[in-house]
Amino acid sequence: MQLTDGIENLINELPQASSQRIEEIVSILEDALSDVECKYPTEDDTNEAYECQYIPQALHLIAQIKEWNKSKNERIETLCELSDDLKTILEQIPIVNNDKCQVV
């Protein structure tokens, strides 16, 4: 599964973004994740059910990025690592291309 271009661009922008822009990006990503419909129960053994299990992990990484941003941490390496991890997780989730996923 590939990330939509808009989402991938947002994640790639994180390490260079201002604090305000980071907040905007994580808000867009949270909205995009909330739009992913998991129609399958977690007991289901289909790929779609397995992919949906990554959503809580992605939300956890987004929360970590928010905390990093609030702490005014100077270690950009931490944000780079979180961004890379988030990209890896989001690649496992069926994200549809919609208006909320566009770069603003």
Side-chain angles (χ1 to χ4, degrees):
M1 162 102 337
Q2 282 189 322
L3 292 176
T4 64
D5 288 341
I7 293 216
E8 187 167 8
N9 290 339
L10 288 173
I11 295 170
N12 290 337
E13 185 182 340
L14 280 170
Q16 298 85 23
S18 67
S19 291
Q20 180 180 351
R21 182 63 179 152
I22 290 173
E23 286 298 319
E24 292 170 0
I25 291 170
V26 295
S27 178
I28 292 167
L29 295 174
E30 286 172 329
D31 286 348
L33 285 173
S34 71
D35 285 348
V36 176
E37 292 187 33
C38 292
K39 299 176 183 174
Y40 304 92
T42 55
E43 307 84 51
D44 194 344
D45 198 23
T46 64
N47 285 339
E48 290 86 357
Y50 184 69
E51 292 164 347
C52 287
Q53 293 179 7
Y54 286 104
I55 292 174
Q57 292 175 8
L59 291 172
H60 178 71
L61 285 169
I62 289 171
Q64 287 182 298
I65 291 169
K66 283 179 160 180
E67 282 302 311
W68 180 92
N69 194 37
K70 287 179 184 172
S71 72
K72 307 290 186 212
N73 192 332
E74 297 298 320
R75 291 199 40 174
I76 193 68
E77 298 86 14
T78 302
L79 183 57
C80 290
E81 290 172 15
L82 290 170
S83 298
D84 287 344
D85 291 347
L86 182 59
K87 189 184 301 184
T88 300
I89 292 295
L90 290 178
E91 287 174 350
Q92 308 302 318
I93 301 171
I95 297 178
V96 295
N97 193 4
N98 61 37
D99 291 341
K100 292 183 181 176
C101 299
Q102 300 302 315
V103 177
V104 292

